[in-house]
Amino acid sequence: MTVISNHMPTAELQALDAAHHMHPFTTNADLARKGARVITGAKGVYLTDSEGQRILDGMAGLWCVNIGYGREEMAEVAARQIRELPYYNTFFQTTHVPAIALSAKLAELAPGDLNHVFYASGGSEANDTNIRMVRTYWAETGKPSKQIVISRKNAYHGSTMGGASLGGMTGMHAQGGMPIPGIHHIDQPHWWAEGGDMTPEEFGLERAGQLEAAILELGEDNVAAFIAEPVQGAGGVIVPPESYWPEIQRICDKYEILLIADEVITGFGRTGNWFGSQTLGIRPHIMTVAKALSSGYQPIGASIVCDKVAKVIDACEFNHGYTYHGHPVAAAVALKNLEIMEEDDILGHVRDVAAPHLKQGWESLADHPLVGEARIIGMMGSIALTPDKGRRAAFAAEAGTAGYICRERCFANDLVMRHVGDRMIIAPPLVINRDEIDLLISRARTALDETHAELKARDLMQAA
Ligand SMILES: *Cc1c(COP(=O)(O)O)cnc(C)c1O
């Protein structure tokens, strides 16, 4: 048996990593030449790497570690649950206390009559469930032709066949034969990049109107559901114009289309309320949750389903489920996470302290010569890098060139900030305090200065 300790030299860890570990969404051959950064520990909002470097995690891992790293109670709950009941299934007329307790808690927290929980190991699986659930719902209610799910370009709904098909990432669709049949994509409400001469409000209505046009074109009798993230996350933290969601809601109501809110990022406090649907004023029939459901301490996701849909699904045998549905350790840890959210009043901290302070700091970056816009909602923000602020111009260089440079400059300044094309995005742990926010903003500004200098030196400040 091989035991690999943190104390192995970094180069040896990197060599083993390159030899045997295939990284997701990565050109592994390039990474192998450079060597992956080895993360060895974390506490609060800081990561530590194998060289002893301390890095401020502006992304809460992958948008998940909302309560911050290193919460002892989470470890205790996991250990206790493993001793008591590490695993049992819920397929064959059995259940267990963690799944019961978490389901009841989620029903209490979720808005409206979202009272029923179907589990998964993550967001992608939950969205696969959603496709099958909405199609089954319509088949069982005598409308079997209602099968198409409408989604949006540049949406992210996961990486399984179903999730990636719902998603609107062209790079993902290009590999492996996606999207699967019965998925239709409309344009995204991304005013800065695609709004042209329209005001944001006009543009929001135009983009929402595409849903109605698609329903009419495909036929009302063929459309099962519309799925969207309340605020697009992986697409670049795109906050829709205010006119967008009310119009989408009106259209879903009018045509009786099921509305699925993919809350995998926006759930559990990210936008300042428990769910993004509350912040954006949406009434979904199903919410997809994962990520911050357990603050990333355990892999778990779920579909939270309204009374109307659950009643129909419960009346038939839904031939679907995952081995780790409601996994007891994951469920116990998720429940503890929600308890910590409540006991520490993390939503209160976000509302009164973190979100206003972060907004002030983040929006102050808009005066930087490289920044076209700085958008933020709750604890998720984005900035558009541009060679020409006045024209909202894209760079002449391949999309992502400037963003990648900026991400590297962030890393060099001990800040994790991610890039999506030439947009920089943040979603720090919700527990981040004022001083840590100040540090995040000052490191981001330094990284922007260095990026600007490098772009000028390499003659890359050219507009497309
Ligand atoms: C991350 C994400 C998913 C996929 O979740 P996984 O746990 O990676 O399967 C789905 N939807 C949204 C909005 C996400 O951000």
Side-chain angles (χ1 to χ4, degrees):
M1 194 184 80
T2 326
V3 176
I4 296 179
S5 83
N6 281 349
H7 310 295
M8 239 181 184
T10 301
E12 282 179 43
L13 290 167
Q14 288 170 329
L16 280 172
D17 185 70
H20 305 297
H21 177 200
M22 301 170 80
H23 291 248
F25 288 100
T26 299
T27 307
N28 278 277
D30 289 348
L31 180 64
R33 275 190 287 280
K34 185 176 151 199
R37 195 158 186 162
V38 183
I39 305 300
T40 51
K43 181 88 189 150
V45 300
Y46 291 100
L47 307 166
T48 308
D49 74 8
S50 55
E51 299 293 282
Q53 201 94 339
R54 225 163 148 246
I55 311 155
L56 177 55
D57 185 4
M59 281 305 297
L62 263 180
W63 328 79
C64 37
V65 190
N66 284 12
I67 62 167
Y69 296 95
R71 292 292 300 238
E72 194 55 34
E73 314 93 295
M74 299 284 271
E76 279 161 16
V77 160
R80 197 186 320 138
Q81 188 59 48
I82 288 170
R83 288 193 189 100
E84 208 167 285
L85 180 71
Y87 177 75
Y88 200 68
N89 77 76
T90 51
F91 282 35
F92 307 118
Q93 315 206 344
T94 54
T95 188
H96 49 69
V97 175
I100 297 166
L102 181 61
S103 306
K105 185 71 197 173
L106 287 172
E108 177 200 316
L109 292 176
D113 66 351
L114 294 163
N115 289 321
H116 312 269
V117 186
F118 195 101
Y119 289 102
S121 303
S124 309
E125 284 184 1
N127 278 329
D128 280 30
T129 297
N130 293 339
I131 296 174
R132 298 179 64 177
M133 191 179 285
V134 296
R135 289 176 173 174
T136 304
Y137 169 83
W138 289 116
E140 292 290 321
T141 49
K143 295 182 177 170
S145 65
K146 284 173 78 71
Q147 295 287 295
I148 299 173
V149 181
I150 300 177
S151 179
R152 305 182 299 182
K153 294 174 188 165
N154 198 36
Y156 190 79
H157 297 298
S159 197
T160 51
M161 288 298 283
S165 294
L166 289 174
M169 300 292 176
T170 46
M172 294 174 77
H173 289 176
Q175 296 170 325
M178 284 176 289
I180 57 170
I183 313 286
H184 181 87
H185 295 89
I186 60 174
D187 288 323
Q188 58 175 334
H190 189 356
W191 176 79
W192 199 82
E194 301 175 3
D197 294 334
M198 280 186 247
T199 67
E201 299 322 307
E202 287 165 356
F203 178 71
L205 287 177
E206 189 271 323
R207 287 292 152 104
Q210 285 195 17
L211 176 60
E212 187 156 29
I215 293 167
L216 295 173
E217 179 200 323
L218 298 164
E220 195 181 336
D221 292 341
N222 298 319
V223 178
F226 174 64
I227 183 168
E229 306 152 80
V231 178
Q232 283 157 271
V237 182
I238 295 154
V239 184
E242 273 176 27
S243 57
Y244 182 76
W245 271 112
E247 182 63 3
I248 292 283
Q249 183 70 57
R250 184 192 69 75
I251 294 163
C252 290
D253 291 348
K254 178 174 174 192
Y255 296 98
E256 289 188 62
I257 301 301
L258 296 177
L259 175 56
I260 307 168
D262 187 338
E263 295 260 11
V264 171
I265 286 173
T266 51
F268 309 104
R270 180 57 60 192
T271 68
N273 292 296
W274 277 104
F275 297 97
S277 291
Q278 296 161 320
T279 306
L280 280 292
I282 310 166
R283 287 175 281 104
H285 296 93
I286 299 176
M287 288 193 319
T288 320
V289 294
K291 294 193 173 119
L293 168 55
S294 68
S295 278
Y297 281 64
Q298 284 285 291
I300 184 168
S303 304
I304 311 183
V305 182
C306 72
D307 290 344
K308 177 177 96 168
V309 172
K311 191 168 171 224
V312 170
I313 297 299
D314 285 348
C316 71
E317 185 179 2
F318 187 36
N319 295 311
H320 173 63
Y322 305 111
T323 299
Y324 294 139
H325 177 113
H327 190 285
V329 179
V333 166
L335 189 62
K336 189 72 199 173
N337 173 59
L338 300 178
E339 257 175 53
I340 290 173
M341 291 276 300
E342 286 185 322
E343 279 168 13
D344 291 3
D345 189 21
I346 289 175
L347 288 186
H349 169 73
V350 167
R351 191 177 51 242
D352 300 335
V353 181
H357 198 61
L358 185 62
K359 180 177 163 71
Q360 194 183 30
W362 192 251
E363 289 179 348
S364 78
L365 296 174
D367 67 13
H368 194 279
L370 195 53
V371 174
E373 69 162 0
R375 294 300 306 270
I376 188 155
I377 182 166
M379 298 294 285
M380 58 197 292
S382 56
I383 50 186
L385 305 181
T386 177
D388 183 348
K389 290 161 89 100
R391 289 202 300 117
R392 309 207 310 265
F395 289 91
E398 192 190 342
T401 306
Y404 183 79
I405 292 169
C406 189
R407 202 211 46 183
E408 293 297 292
R409 295 327 304 158
C410 289
F411 248 147
N413 285 285
D414 297 324
L415 171 65
V416 176
M417 178 154 74
R418 186 172 152 192
H419 80 110
V420 176
D422 295 318
R423 254 181 123 76
M424 305 308 300
I425 59 179
I426 52 155
L430 305 186
V431 295
I432 191 168
N433 67 30
R434 293 175 67 96
D435 291 344
E436 290 160 346
I437 289 170
D438 291 342
L439 191 61
L440 186 158
I441 299 296
S442 84
R443 286 181 182 177
R445 192 173 276 283
T446 305
L448 287 167
D449 288 343
E450 292 177 6
T451 305
H452 194 210
E454 183 167 340
L455 290 171
K456 281 192 289 196
R458 290 169 57 185
D459 201 24
L460 287 169
M461 283 299 283
Q462 309 293 339

PDB file of all heavy atoms in Angstrom, residues 37-58:
ATOM      1  N   ARG A  37      -0.837  23.008  -8.630  1.00  0.00           N
ATOM      2  CA  ARG A  37      -0.621  23.525  -7.280  1.00  0.00           C
ATOM      3  C   ARG A  37      -1.254  22.540  -6.297  1.00  0.00           C
ATOM      4  O   ARG A  37      -2.414  22.166  -6.452  1.00  0.00           O
ATOM      5  CB  ARG A  37      -1.289  24.888  -7.173  1.00  0.00           C
ATOM      6  CG  ARG A  37      -0.879  25.695  -5.987  1.00  0.00           C
ATOM      7  CD  ARG A  37      -1.153  27.171  -6.275  1.00  0.00           C
ATOM      8  NE  ARG A  37      -0.647  27.984  -5.203  1.00  0.00           N
ATOM      9  CZ  ARG A  37      -0.433  29.290  -5.324  1.00  0.00           C
ATOM     10  NH1 ARG A  37      -0.666  29.916  -6.461  1.00  0.00           N
ATOM     11  NH2 ARG A  37       0.020  29.970  -4.295  1.00  0.00           N
ATOM     12  N   VAL A  38      -0.500  22.094  -5.307  1.00  0.00           N
ATOM     13  CA  VAL A  38      -0.994  21.085  -4.382  1.00  0.00           C
ATOM     14  C   VAL A  38      -1.569  21.777  -3.143  1.00  0.00           C
ATOM     15  O   VAL A  38      -0.844  22.436  -2.398  1.00  0.00           O
ATOM     16  CB  VAL A  38       0.129  20.110  -3.957  1.00  0.00           C
ATOM     17  CG1 VAL A  38      -0.430  19.010  -3.056  1.00  0.00           C
ATOM     18  CG2 VAL A  38       0.816  19.508  -5.186  1.00  0.00           C
ATOM     19  N   ILE A  39      -2.873  21.649  -2.951  1.00  0.00           N
ATOM     20  CA  ILE A  39      -3.530  22.269  -1.798  1.00  0.00           C
ATOM     21  C   ILE A  39      -3.532  21.257  -0.657  1.00  0.00           C
ATOM     22  O   ILE A  39      -3.987  20.116  -0.817  1.00  0.00           O
ATOM     23  CB  ILE A  39      -4.972  22.686  -2.150  1.00  0.00           C
ATOM     24  CG1 ILE A  39      -4.984  23.607  -3.384  1.00  0.00           C
ATOM     25  CG2 ILE A  39      -5.656  23.364  -0.955  1.00  0.00           C
ATOM     26  CD1 ILE A  39      -4.215  24.901  -3.245  1.00  0.00           C
ATOM     27  N   THR A  40      -3.014  21.658   0.466  1.00  0.00           N
ATOM     28  CA  THR A  40      -2.833  20.701   1.561  1.00  0.00           C
ATOM     29  C   THR A  40      -3.747  20.961   2.753  1.00  0.00           C
ATOM     30  O   THR A  40      -3.941  20.080   3.589  1.00  0.00           O
ATOM     31  CB  THR A  40      -1.375  20.731   2.064  1.00  0.00           C
ATOM     32  OG1 THR A  40      -1.014  22.091   2.334  1.00  0.00           O
ATOM     33  CG2 THR A  40      -0.431  20.164   1.015  1.00  0.00           C
ATOM     34  N   GLY A  41      -4.295  22.138   2.864  1.00  0.00           N
ATOM     35  CA  GLY A  41      -5.157  22.415   4.011  1.00  0.00           C
ATOM     36  C   GLY A  41      -5.898  23.714   3.811  1.00  0.00           C
ATOM     37  O   GLY A  41      -5.635  24.458   2.854  1.00  0.00           O
ATOM     38  N   ALA A  42      -6.846  23.979   4.710  1.00  0.00           N
ATOM     39  CA  ALA A  42      -7.615  25.219   4.605  1.00  0.00           C
ATOM     40  C   ALA A  42      -8.276  25.530   5.935  1.00  0.00           C
ATOM     41  O   ALA A  42      -8.631  24.626   6.694  1.00  0.00           O
ATOM     42  CB  ALA A  42      -8.671  25.097   3.513  1.00  0.00           C
ATOM     43  N   LYS A  43      -8.435  26.831   6.196  1.00  0.00           N
ATOM     44  CA  LYS A  43      -9.073  27.275   7.437  1.00  0.00           C
ATOM     45  C   LYS A  43      -9.744  28.611   7.149  1.00  0.00           C
ATOM     46  O   LYS A  43      -9.114  29.497   6.570  1.00  0.00           O
ATOM     47  CB  LYS A  43      -7.989  27.426   8.518  1.00  0.00           C
ATOM     48  CG  LYS A  43      -8.491  27.854   9.865  1.00  0.00           C
ATOM     49  CD  LYS A  43      -8.897  26.645  10.696  1.00  0.00           C
ATOM     50  CE  LYS A  43      -9.613  27.101  11.955  1.00  0.00           C
ATOM     51  NZ  LYS A  43     -10.604  26.173  12.461  1.00  0.00           N
ATOM     52  N   GLY A  44     -10.993  28.732   7.531  1.00  0.00           N
ATOM     53  CA  GLY A  44     -11.692  30.002   7.292  1.00  0.00           C
ATOM     54  C   GLY A  44     -11.807  30.279   5.809  1.00  0.00           C
ATOM     55  O   GLY A  44     -12.393  29.499   5.070  1.00  0.00           O
ATOM     56  N   VAL A  45     -11.212  31.387   5.354  1.00  0.00           N
ATOM     57  CA  VAL A  45     -11.266  31.726   3.921  1.00  0.00           C
ATOM     58  C   VAL A  45      -9.922  31.480   3.226  1.00  0.00           C
ATOM     59  O   VAL A  45      -9.735  31.872   2.082  1.00  0.00           O
ATOM     60  CB  VAL A  45     -11.701  33.197   3.698  1.00  0.00           C
ATOM     61  CG1 VAL A  45     -13.082  33.456   4.294  1.00  0.00           C
ATOM     62  CG2 VAL A  45     -10.680  34.181   4.262  1.00  0.00           C
ATOM     63  N   TYR A  46      -8.986  30.846   3.943  1.00  0.00           N
ATOM     64  CA  TYR A  46      -7.634  30.676   3.400  1.00  0.00           C
ATOM     65  C   TYR A  46      -7.302  29.232   3.073  1.00  0.00           C
ATOM     66  O   TYR A  46      -7.603  28.321   3.853  1.00  0.00           O
ATOM     67  CB  TYR A  46      -6.591  31.188   4.395  1.00  0.00           C
ATOM     68  CG  TYR A  46      -6.626  32.689   4.570  1.00  0.00           C
ATOM     69  CD1 TYR A  46      -7.253  33.266   5.661  1.00  0.00           C
ATOM     70  CD2 TYR A  46      -6.037  33.522   3.619  1.00  0.00           C
ATOM     71  CE1 TYR A  46      -7.299  34.653   5.813  1.00  0.00           C
ATOM     72  CE2 TYR A  46      -6.077  34.899   3.758  1.00  0.00           C
ATOM     73  CZ  TYR A  46      -6.707  35.462   4.854  1.00  0.00           C
ATOM     74  OH  TYR A  46      -6.746  36.805   4.992  1.00  0.00           O
ATOM     75  N   LEU A  47      -6.645  29.050   1.936  1.00  0.00           N
ATOM     76  CA  LEU A  47      -6.078  27.762   1.551  1.00  0.00           C
ATOM     77  C   LEU A  47      -4.584  27.787   1.871  1.00  0.00           C
ATOM     78  O   LEU A  47      -3.967  28.855   1.879  1.00  0.00           O
ATOM     79  CB  LEU A  47      -6.221  27.537   0.041  1.00  0.00           C
ATOM     80  CG  LEU A  47      -7.610  27.690  -0.575  1.00  0.00           C
ATOM     81  CD1 LEU A  47      -7.495  27.763  -2.096  1.00  0.00           C
ATOM     82  CD2 LEU A  47      -8.489  26.513  -0.159  1.00  0.00           C
ATOM     83  N   THR A  48      -4.025  26.587   2.093  1.00  0.00           N
ATOM     84  CA  THR A  48      -2.573  26.484   2.228  1.00  0.00           C
ATOM     85  C   THR A  48      -2.090  25.489   1.184  1.00  0.00           C
ATOM     86  O   THR A  48      -2.732  24.462   0.976  1.00  0.00           O
ATOM     87  CB  THR A  48      -2.194  25.938   3.623  1.00  0.00           C
ATOM     88  OG1 THR A  48      -2.856  26.723   4.605  1.00  0.00           O
ATOM     89  CG2 THR A  48      -0.694  26.014   3.849  1.00  0.00           C
ATOM     90  N   ASP A  49      -0.964  25.798   0.521  1.00  0.00           N
ATOM     91  CA  ASP A  49      -0.438  24.842  -0.451  1.00  0.00           C
ATOM     92  C   ASP A  49       0.824  24.175   0.090  1.00  0.00           C
ATOM     93  O   ASP A  49       1.285  24.472   1.186  1.00  0.00           O
ATOM     94  CB  ASP A  49      -0.244  25.484  -1.831  1.00  0.00           C
ATOM     95  CG  ASP A  49       0.947  26.427  -1.903  1.00  0.00           C
ATOM     96  OD1 ASP A  49       1.744  26.485  -0.938  1.00  0.00           O
ATOM     97  OD2 ASP A  49       1.084  27.112  -2.932  1.00  0.00           O
ATOM     98  N   SER A  50       1.338  23.225  -0.714  1.00  0.00           N
ATOM     99  CA  SER A  50       2.447  22.384  -0.259  1.00  0.00           C
ATOM    100  C   SER A  50       3.741  23.167  -0.083  1.00  0.00           C
ATOM    101  O   SER A  50       4.709  22.652   0.469  1.00  0.00           O
ATOM    102  CB  SER A  50       2.657  21.235  -1.246  1.00  0.00           C
ATOM    103  OG  SER A  50       2.833  21.766  -2.548  1.00  0.00           O
ATOM    104  N   GLU A  51       3.772  24.408  -0.534  1.00  0.00           N
ATOM    105  CA  GLU A  51       4.952  25.257  -0.323  1.00  0.00           C
ATOM    106  C   GLU A  51       4.755  26.174   0.886  1.00  0.00           C
ATOM    107  O   GLU A  51       5.556  27.070   1.127  1.00  0.00           O
ATOM    108  CB  GLU A  51       5.220  26.102  -1.574  1.00  0.00           C
ATOM    109  CG  GLU A  51       5.515  25.280  -2.810  1.00  0.00           C
ATOM    110  CD  GLU A  51       6.840  24.541  -2.686  1.00  0.00           C
ATOM    111  OE1 GLU A  51       7.897  25.167  -2.854  1.00  0.00           O
ATOM    112  OE2 GLU A  51       6.819  23.310  -2.395  1.00  0.00           O
ATOM    113  N   GLY A  52       3.617  25.977   1.572  1.00  0.00           N
ATOM    114  CA  GLY A  52       3.353  26.788   2.755  1.00  0.00           C
ATOM    115  C   GLY A  52       2.738  28.141   2.439  1.00  0.00           C
ATOM    116  O   GLY A  52       2.567  28.983   3.317  1.00  0.00           O
ATOM    117  N   GLN A  53       2.392  28.351   1.178  1.00  0.00           N
ATOM    118  CA  GLN A  53       1.767  29.615   0.754  1.00  0.00           C
ATOM    119  C   GLN A  53       0.327  29.676   1.236  1.00  0.00           C
ATOM    120  O   GLN A  53      -0.381  28.674   1.192  1.00  0.00           O
ATOM    121  CB  GLN A  53       1.784  29.642  -0.777  1.00  0.00           C
ATOM    122  CG  GLN A  53       1.651  31.009  -1.344  1.00  0.00           C
ATOM    123  CD  GLN A  53       3.024  31.614  -1.626  1.00  0.00           C
ATOM    124  OE1 GLN A  53       4.029  31.183  -1.053  1.00  0.00           O
ATOM    125  NE2 GLN A  53       3.064  32.600  -2.486  1.00  0.00           N
ATOM    126  N   ARG A  54      -0.109  30.857   1.692  1.00  0.00           N
ATOM    127  CA  ARG A  54      -1.474  31.048   2.168  1.00  0.00           C
ATOM    128  C   ARG A  54      -2.241  31.851   1.120  1.00  0.00           C
ATOM    129  O   ARG A  54      -1.823  32.939   0.743  1.00  0.00           O
ATOM    130  CB  ARG A  54      -1.436  31.832   3.478  1.00  0.00           C
ATOM    131  CG  ARG A  54      -2.332  31.291   4.543  1.00  0.00           C
ATOM    132  CD  ARG A  54      -1.935  31.858   5.895  1.00  0.00           C
ATOM    133  NE  ARG A  54      -3.136  31.971   6.703  1.00  0.00           N
ATOM    134  CZ  ARG A  54      -3.667  33.109   7.104  1.00  0.00           C
ATOM    135  NH1 ARG A  54      -3.119  34.266   6.793  1.00  0.00           N
ATOM    136  NH2 ARG A  54      -4.779  33.110   7.822  1.00  0.00           N
ATOM    137  N   ILE A  55      -3.344  31.307   0.647  1.00  0.00           N
ATOM    138  CA  ILE A  55      -4.056  31.905  -0.490  1.00  0.00           C
ATOM    139  C   ILE A  55      -5.480  32.246  -0.067  1.00  0.00           C
ATOM    140  O   ILE A  55      -6.173  31.397   0.502  1.00  0.00           O
ATOM    141  CB  ILE A  55      -4.100  30.907  -1.672  1.00  0.00           C
ATOM    142  CG1 ILE A  55      -2.709  30.328  -1.954  1.00  0.00           C
ATOM    143  CG2 ILE A  55      -4.679  31.561  -2.919  1.00  0.00           C
ATOM    144  CD1 ILE A  55      -2.716  28.978  -2.616  1.00  0.00           C
ATOM    145  N   LEU A  56      -5.906  33.457  -0.342  1.00  0.00           N
ATOM    146  CA  LEU A  56      -7.287  33.857  -0.048  1.00  0.00           C
ATOM    147  C   LEU A  56      -8.205  33.262  -1.122  1.00  0.00           C
ATOM    148  O   LEU A  56      -8.038  33.523  -2.320  1.00  0.00           O
ATOM    149  CB  LEU A  56      -7.379  35.386  -0.030  1.00  0.00           C
ATOM    150  CG  LEU A  56      -8.753  36.030   0.181  1.00  0.00           C
ATOM    151  CD1 LEU A  56      -9.430  35.531   1.442  1.00  0.00           C
ATOM    152  CD2 LEU A  56      -8.619  37.547   0.241  1.00  0.00           C
ATOM    153  N   ASP A  57      -9.170  32.464  -0.690  1.00  0.00           N
ATOM    154  CA  ASP A  57     -10.017  31.748  -1.648  1.00  0.00           C
ATOM    155  C   ASP A  57     -11.244  32.582  -2.013  1.00  0.00           C
ATOM    156  O   ASP A  57     -12.276  32.507  -1.348  1.00  0.00           O
ATOM    157  CB  ASP A  57     -10.434  30.387  -1.081  1.00  0.00           C
ATOM    158  CG  ASP A  57     -11.210  29.573  -2.108  1.00  0.00           C
ATOM    159  OD1 ASP A  57     -11.337  30.045  -3.270  1.00  0.00           O
ATOM    160  OD2 ASP A  57     -11.690  28.479  -1.770  1.00  0.00           O
ATOM    161  N   GLY A  58     -11.112  33.333  -3.075  1.00  0.00           N
ATOM    162  CA  GLY A  58     -12.212  34.185  -3.535  1.00  0.00           C
ATOM    163  C   GLY A  58     -13.324  33.427  -4.234  1.00  0.00           C
ATOM    164  O   GLY A  58     -14.311  34.023  -4.656  1.00  0.00           O
TER     165      GLY A  58
END
